[in-house]
Amino acid sequence: MANVKRDAVKQAWEETDFPLVCETCLGDNPYVRMTKEEHGKKCKVCENPFTVYAWQAGTKGRLKRVEICRACAQAKNVCQVCIYDLQYGLPVKVRDKVLREAGSSSAIAAVPQSMANRAWYTAQQDRMLAQGQTMVDNTNELAHAQLREMARMEPRYERNLAKLCSFFARGECNRGDSCPFRHELPKDRNDPMSKQNTKDRFFGTSDPVANKILGRKRRHEEERVKSDENEGYDKARATLYLRFQGDEPYPSLDEMLVRDQFYSFGEILSVRAQPDKGQAFVEYSQPEAAELAIAAMNRKELSGRPIYCSWARAPKRGEGHLPSNSIEQEESSTGAPAVVRPVAPPGGFVKKKDVPKFTAVVPRPSGRVSSNVPRPAGSVPSAGMAVAKRATGSVEPYYPSADPSRLGTKTAPTSDL
């Protein structure tokens, strides 16, 4: 009964047995000795006192301690020290942006910022965690594949190095080798990386590390799009391109091997393998399946060698390089919008019957029609119009989308009557 918290304010104070940290923050030393201090300081997010753990991060690392409480770290699934995602090793702002763009917004934890709402959220979270549930939904496959491609899970122990000595920068440090700080001059005093805030990093509002990662990704996409535009190519609708990385000789590559690796992402229409070049093209029925396959299989191993996956390129249709079966457009002299004409087949337009044209003369009925004769609802076409329509051979325009042979079917097209 001695551990019972009698004060109502102290009920929110946290007591834990072990911190929630990542491998990088633990350091390269497999034997870690930690110091524990109950209610050592306030959390930098919720401002509730919590249990503070401190340790030396590796043989050459500095003394590190937890910065936020375990409840806040579990709400965002982040490390209590560096506030990076524990599953992908990315900042919260980068992870949430990828989840939002991939259609998995329900997997983002919206932690309230006010004290009362955050207390209610923490109580609900503890209750659901005790039942084996979570406050957010699971991540969809596309978002998981994109985050796994961007993941930085390898330990980055250089983040554990000691901070720079401010006295050495001013030329006033007299400790020498016994100084616990690094004797290096700062590269740039206005570097935004040196101005980081724990609360902003937790909520993903103003994180310079996340802005640097997103900026590098955006520049890479812009360069790729610009390169495709300069070369005159555009992205295919639902076809991906894969090739082995490295030089020849390439491993064996056939259609069955490619299908076995890519069938789980969606329905495959065709596979074209080129073993001599170490590359292949996979065409899906839906663009979403191709996008998921690219995100999941890029830089993964196939036959013992990593592969590169990207969208296949389709040639653009410019005005001066229209193919023979393209849609013809012409603009009237009055400035009216261009008229789109259907594409004609190689044999020209198809007629149902070769019936000679003639003018049908139909005599008008004499006398007046009795009003007692019932008529069907709606207007009744005249007899002369019906006879003229049957006499004239109707011309059917040719649409590529209505041609069975253009859709890849195996059946022979039926002959027109």
Side-chain angles (χ1 to χ4, degrees):
M1 299 295 293
N3 296 329
V4 176
K5 300 175 183 177
R6 299 180 181 275
D7 193 352
V9 179
K10 294 182 179 180
Q11 294 292 332
W13 293 8
E14 185 180 83
E15 295 180 358
T16 56
D17 296 331
F18 198 80
L20 190 66
V21 294
C22 61
E23 184 180 357
T24 300
C25 293
L26 286 176
D28 56 352
N29 189 358
Y31 305 99
V32 181
R33 177 180 294 179
M34 295 185 178
T35 60
K36 177 181 178 181
E37 182 182 1
E38 294 184 357
H39 312 147
K41 66 177 182 178
K42 291 183 178 181
C43 175
K44 293 187 177 181
V45 176
C46 64
E47 298 182 356
N48 287 330
F50 68 103
T51 305
V52 178
Y53 291 89
W55 65 95
Q56 185 179 1
T59 55
K60 297 182 180 180
R62 67 178 185 273
L63 184 68
K64 306 193 77 171
R65 65 180 68 239
V66 293
E67 302 294 339
I68 62 176
C69 63
R70 189 182 181 92
C72 294
Q74 287 179 339
K76 288 281 190 177
N77 192 30
V78 295
C79 173
Q80 288 186 251
V81 182
C82 61
I83 326 296
Y84 280 15
D85 184 79
L86 292 173
Q87 185 175 1
Y88 304 105
L90 296 172
V92 176
K93 185 176 182 179
V94 177
R95 181 197 63 185
D96 292 350
K97 182 177 177 61
V98 174
L99 290 175
R100 198 176 295 108
E101 293 178 351
S104 186
S105 300
S106 59
I108 301 175
V111 180
Q113 298 192 18
S114 63
M115 185 176 298
N117 294 338
R118 194 185 303 114
W120 176 87
Y121 185 89
T122 304
Q124 295 293 325
Q125 174 183 294
D126 294 341
R127 182 177 59 84
M128 296 191 69
L129 288 176
Q131 298 176 359
Q133 302 176 1
T134 57
M135 295 284 289
V136 296
D137 297 336
N138 295 328
T139 308
N140 57 22
E141 295 182 0
L142 178 59
H144 176 67
Q146 292 180 354
L147 288 173
R148 189 173 59 181
E149 183 181 2
M150 298 176 59
R152 304 187 301 175
M153 296 309 299
E154 66 278 0
R156 303 171 64 90
Y157 297 126
E158 62 272 9
R159 296 197 328 226
N160 300 333
L161 295 177
K163 296 183 179 180
L164 299 180
C165 180
S166 59
F167 290 92
F168 177 80
R170 297 193 300 264
E172 299 177 359
C173 183
N174 54 7
R175 293 185 180 182
D177 296 339
S178 61
C179 182
F181 300 95
R182 285 186 297 163
H183 284 186
E184 297 178 5
L185 293 177
K187 298 180 180 179
D188 187 7
R189 295 181 181 273
N190 299 324
D191 188 8
M193 302 293 290
S194 60
K195 301 177 182 179
Q196 302 184 29
N197 185 276
T198 303
K199 195 170 184 178
D200 292 341
R201 183 186 297 182
F202 179 83
F203 290 104
T205 55
S206 178
D207 187 0
V209 180
N211 295 336
K212 183 178 180 181
I213 296 175
L214 294 176
R216 183 168 60 246
K217 179 184 177 183
R218 182 172 58 254
R219 288 192 299 269
H220 177 71
E221 293 178 354
E222 291 176 355
E223 291 176 359
R224 180 175 54 83
V225 172
K226 186 177 180 180
S227 176
D228 294 344
E229 291 178 354
N230 295 337
E231 295 179 5
Y233 286 92
D234 197 4
K235 184 178 70 174
R237 177 181 176 273
T239 306
L240 66 86
Y241 161 76
L242 66 97
R243 62 175 174 82
F244 288 111
Q245 297 183 4
D247 300 331
E248 298 181 358
Y250 300 111
S252 60
L253 183 67
D254 55 1
E255 180 179 350
M256 292 303 300
L257 177 62
V258 177
R259 284 184 179 273
D260 291 343
Q261 294 292 331
F262 288 86
Y263 81 95
S264 60
F265 305 106
E267 181 183 359
I268 296 179
L269 298 181
S270 64
V271 175
R272 291 166 291 172
Q274 300 176 357
D276 54 340
K277 298 181 179 180
Q279 63 184 12
F281 297 88
V282 183
E283 182 180 3
Y284 286 92
S285 59
Q286 298 295 331
E288 293 79 8
E291 184 179 5
L292 177 59
I294 293 173
M297 294 299 296
N298 189 28
R299 296 186 296 179
K300 298 298 184 296
E301 289 190 359
L302 180 64
S303 297
R305 180 180 290 192
I307 60 175
Y308 168 78
C309 293
S310 181
W311 287 98
R313 295 178 175 180
K316 288 186 177 181
R317 296 185 178 181
E319 295 182 357
H321 301 280
L322 287 175
S324 60
N325 60 346
S326 62
I327 297 178
E328 299 179 359
Q329 297 183 0
E330 65 179 7
E331 186 174 358
S332 60
S333 59
T334 59
V339 179
V340 180
R341 297 184 177 180
V343 182
F349 289 98
V350 181
K351 298 182 180 181
K352 284 189 175 180
K353 276 188 177 182
D354 296 335
V355 181
K357 298 182 180 180
F358 64 92
T359 304
V361 181
V362 180
R364 296 174 61 88
S366 60
R368 298 181 62 184
V369 181
S370 175
S371 60
N372 296 328
V373 179
R375 295 184 179 182
S379 61
V380 180
S382 61
M385 294 176 61
V387 174
K389 186 175 181 181
R390 289 195 301 266
T392 307
S394 60
V395 178
E396 285 189 353
Y398 174 79
Y399 296 97
S401 60
D403 189 357
S405 61
R406 296 289 298 274
L407 300 178
T409 57
K410 300 295 183 180
T411 58
T414 57
S415 60
D416 296 330
L417 298 179

